[in-house]
């Protein structure tokens, strides 16, 4: 295994998380590398067009090249292509933010979104992540993900808000209810004033490959509206699933 290549990948990840750019000393300390190694890796990234040095701050920052590569891969995701028209339909109906998520370890990764047109709305970004057990799309994915996924989540059960699920037994019971009703609800478990509803999307093999959901302020989406939203999201998810070749009930 090429250790230099691995160090370069770790460096990319560290730089991607730092919105204000990265200094050589800062990266060396963060990654437990010496400054000369970090400097050589940065020069390689600059040479290949993945990074640049900001002349005003002297700090290194990533260019859009990494995003361009990621966007090409994202465009190959059939679920994203098939889901987008129905996400737009759901956004027009609900006037709330609509997400398309996949499960990565103990987190959801947002691969597509449509923002609410309303001034007060749920704030997320494509490429952003959230604890799977705390958001509606995450719970919809976990409900069909199996024991390995629950094992990954178990060690990350902590109180993000006063409504966060803290015990694995409580999470298991909620996932059982989600499987019974076909949709999940977030009652402010990640952000206190943000709630949502989501449902799983299946492919031709009946595997759950993504989840689609809406989210918005708790002041607009009370419990009754969340249940209604959950039923509508379930219909949308079923439609997308059929577009992907799923033929089950």
């Amino acid at each position: 295994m090429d250790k230099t290549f691995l160090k370069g990948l770790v460096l990319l990840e560290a730089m991607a998380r730092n919105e204000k750019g990265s200094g050589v000393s800062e990266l060396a300390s963060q990654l437990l590398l010496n400054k000369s190694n970090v400097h050589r890796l940065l020069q390689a990234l600059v040479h290949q067009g993945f990074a640049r040095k900001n002349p005003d701050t002297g700090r290194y920052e990533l260019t859009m090249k990494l995003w361009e590569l990621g966007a090409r891969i994202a465009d190959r995701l059939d679920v994203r292509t098939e889901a987008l028209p129905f996400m737009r339909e759901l956004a027009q109906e609900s006037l709330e933010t609509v997400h398309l998520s996949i499960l990565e370890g103990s987190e959801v990764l947002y691969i597509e979104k449509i923002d609410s047109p309303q001034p007060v709305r749920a704030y997320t970004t494509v490429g952003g992540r959230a604890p799977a057990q705390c958001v509606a799309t995450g719970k919809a994915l976990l409900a069909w993900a199996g024991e390995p996924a629950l094992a990954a989540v178990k060690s990350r059960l902590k109180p993000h808000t006063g409504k966060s699920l803290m015990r694995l037994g409580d999470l298991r019971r909620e996932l059982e209810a989600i499987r019974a009703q076909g949709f999940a609800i977030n009652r402010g478990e990640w952000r206190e004033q943000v709630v949502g509803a989501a449902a799983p999307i299946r492919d031709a093999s009946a595997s759950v490959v993504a989840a689609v959901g809406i989210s918005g302020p708790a002041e607009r989406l009370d419990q009754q509206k969340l249940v209604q939203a959950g039923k509508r999201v379930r219909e949308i998810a079923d439609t997308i699933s059929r577009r992907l070749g799923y033929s089950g009930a």
Side-chain angles (χ1 to χ4, degrees):
M1 186 176 295
D2 190 326
K3 293 183 178 180
T4 301
F5 179 69
L6 289 177
K7 290 176 182 177
L9 293 177
V10 172
L11 184 69
L12 275 175
E13 291 181 356
M15 294 177 69
R17 295 190 186 100
N18 195 341
E19 296 180 1
K20 297 181 179 179
S22 305
V24 175
S25 298
E26 176 186 352
L27 289 169
S29 175
Q30 182 179 348
L31 303 177
L32 302 179
L33 298 172
N34 61 56
K35 294 181 182 179
S36 60
N37 280 345
V38 170
H39 187 264
R40 282 196 297 270
L41 291 170
L42 286 170
Q43 293 310 305
L45 292 177
V46 170
H47 182 267
Q48 291 301 119
F50 286 96
R52 63 177 169 233
K53 187 175 183 179
N54 188 315
D56 297 324
T57 64
R59 298 170 70 83
Y60 288 87
E61 53 194 28
L62 295 180
T63 66
M64 295 299 290
K65 186 172 183 178
L66 201 60
W67 178 84
E68 291 170 2
L69 294 176
R72 291 179 186 178
I73 295 172
D75 286 339
R76 299 173 195 162
L77 295 175
D78 289 342
V79 64
R80 179 177 173 271
T81 302
E82 297 298 339
L84 198 50
F86 301 101
M87 291 175 65
R88 294 192 183 105
E89 177 182 335
L90 185 58
Q92 289 173 355
E93 291 177 6
S94 67
L95 299 179
E96 301 293 352
T97 299
V98 178
H99 297 106
L100 182 67
S101 306
I102 59 175
L103 187 65
E104 285 208 342
S106 62
E107 298 177 313
V108 293
L109 173 65
Y110 297 113
I111 62 173
E112 187 57 86
K113 69 169 291 193
I114 298 175
D115 280 317
S116 166
Q118 306 194 67
V120 179
R121 60 193 182 195
Y123 176 76
T124 53
T125 58
V126 173
R129 294 171 181 265
Q133 76 276 10
C134 294
V135 295
T137 54
K139 290 195 282 187
L141 291 161
L142 285 174
W144 282 271
E147 288 302 317
L150 285 181
V153 167
K154 182 179 179 181
S155 63
R156 296 179 177 268
L157 293 173
K158 60 182 181 180
H160 297 283
T161 74
K163 299 179 181 179
S164 300
L165 295 174
M166 291 292 296
R167 294 181 292 188
L168 187 60
D170 293 337
L171 178 59
R172 287 184 184 277
R173 283 188 286 275
E174 176 138 0
L175 297 182
E176 183 178 350
I178 291 167
R179 288 190 290 271
Q181 66 190 12
F183 61 87
I185 288 177
N186 161 27
R187 302 172 183 84
E189 296 149 59
W190 173 228
R191 298 287 182 256
E192 189 79 43
Q193 298 303 317
V194 178
V195 299
I201 296 172
R202 295 173 174 83
D203 64 9
S205 68
S207 299
V208 173
V209 294
V212 62
I214 70 168
S215 60
E219 63 186 21
R220 280 203 302 263
L221 296 170
D222 59 22
Q223 182 64 23
Q224 182 179 0
K225 289 182 179 178
L226 279 176
V227 172
Q228 293 173 346
K231 293 177 180 179
R232 179 57 179 143
V233 168
R234 183 180 61 194
E235 294 174 356
I236 292 290
D238 288 346
T239 300
I240 298 170
S241 297
R242 288 192 293 272
R243 296 278 297 184
L244 293 173
Y246 177 65
S247 58

